[in-house]
Amino acid sequence: KQEVTQIPAALSVPEGENLVLNCSFTDSAIYNLQWFRQDPGKGLTSLLLIQSSQREQTSGRLNASLDKSSGRSTLYIAASQPGDSATYLCAVRRRGSLTQGGSEKLVFGKGMKLTVNP
Amino acid sequence: SAVISQKPSRDICQRGTSLTIQCQVDSQVTMMFWYRQQPGQSLTLIATANQGSEATYESGFVIDKFPISRPNLTFSTLTVSNMSPEDSSIYLCSARVFGNEQFFGPGTRLTVL
């Protein structure tokens, strides 16, 4: 059974710091990994998608890396801003996860609540 | 990408009643899903909405409680039936596009009294 872990559960930093958010997963047979952010009371916003054949993806100040063999992904946020304050979730989609009925679901971590203080 | 809208955005309902949540995607997608997020928790998948056939439910969720429809490629509904206070949650619609990226709607915040 795939399990996704995000540690720590919460992080508070001053504005301007470069941040590394960690995600680990137990089964390396993944199809892809996706990072999301969620603002309070809102839905999820997709940040980056990394296919299993890729090692990293970049979007603006965000960079996500993937190391399947060690079961780890990191989300790097450069020059953090108060607007980056949100909960960040990591989710993996299993390879060959066609279970009865054909469901191919994302498995989510519990998220990491980030607060960037001005 | 895909933009997903949900209606209603929030509702307060009485115990024993039912609520139907609508989800509309602005483009054709391969798969649609319904999630629940209870206060302070991560997301739990309720079911995969299949076009033209019965939804595929996850363990712990049943069709009688959460009937789902998906009449076409871009629209789905989730009904929360015979509600109790334990059903108070955010319900999220999600869709996967052909590039395999998955997107989420803004959620429906449900409070059951």
Side-chain angles (χ1 to χ4, degrees):
Chain A
K1 177 186 175 185
Q2 179 73 275
E3 293 184 358
V4 181
T5 303
Q6 294 182 251
I7 296 174
L11 185 65
S12 181
V13 299
E15 180 177 6
E17 282 202 4
N18 299 323
L19 304 174
V20 177
L21 282 60
N22 295 304
C23 171
S24 61
F25 46 94
T26 53
D27 186 349
S28 61
I30 66 169
Y31 190 80
N32 59 36
L33 182 146
Q34 202 166 348
W35 283 93
F36 297 88
R37 71 172 276 170
Q38 185 175 31
D39 295 286
K42 307 290 187 181
L44 276 66
T45 300
S46 177
L47 297 174
L48 288 164
L49 169 72
I50 308 178
Q51 303 288 359
S52 64
S53 59
Q54 298 174 320
R55 292 193 63 84
E56 67 178 303
Q57 281 286 341
T58 298
S59 176
R61 293 183 295 110
L62 305 179
N63 175 276
S65 67
L66 173 64
D67 184 343
K68 277 196 311 177
S69 60
S70 66
R72 295 181 186 276
S73 176
T74 60
L75 178 66
Y76 178 82
I77 303 176
S80 58
Q81 304 170 358
D84 294 328
S85 299
T87 296
Y88 290 79
L89 296 108
C90 167
V92 299
R93 181 177 161 199
R94 296 175 297 174
R95 177 178 297 282
S97 61
L98 288 173
T99 58
Q100 50 184 296
S103 175
E104 301 178 44
K105 62 181 180 182
L106 284 178
V107 179
F108 282 86
K110 292 186 176 181
M112 194 212 74
K113 183 176 181 180
L114 174 65
T115 303
V116 181
N117 301 301
Chain B
S1 67
V3 177
I4 302 174
S5 58
Q6 286 184 234
K7 289 194 298 187
S9 60
R10 60 176 61 226
D11 207 341
I12 301 173
C13 301
Q14 296 297 321
R15 180 195 300 259
T17 62
S18 297
L19 175 72
T20 295
I21 304 167
Q22 298 180 4
C23 174
Q24 179 72 55
V25 189
D26 70 342
S27 58
Q28 290 191 1
V29 296
T30 58
M31 301 181 81
M32 293 183 73
F33 307 90
W34 287 97
Y35 288 81
R36 182 172 74 182
Q37 187 175 32
Q38 296 182 304
Q41 303 295 314
S42 190
L43 282 75
T44 301
L45 180 64
I46 297 172
T48 302
N50 300 309
Q51 186 200 356
S53 64
E54 195 171 284
T56 304
Y57 290 84
E58 297 298 307
S59 176
F61 298 95
V62 295
I63 188 172
D64 290 345
K65 176 67 176 178
F66 298 101
I68 288 170
S69 77
R70 188 182 173 191
N72 58 51
L73 288 173
T74 62
F75 183 79
S76 179
T77 66
L78 167 73
T79 300
V80 186
S81 303
N82 188 25
M83 288 183 286
S84 66
E86 291 72 33
D87 294 321
S88 297
S89 283
I90 297 175
Y91 291 85
L92 294 149
C93 176
S94 179
R96 186 175 295 160
V97 299
F98 289 96
N100 295 313
E101 192 168 3
Q102 194 160 327
F103 296 90
F104 284 79
T108 297
R109 183 181 292 274
L110 172 62
T111 302
V112 184
L113 303 177

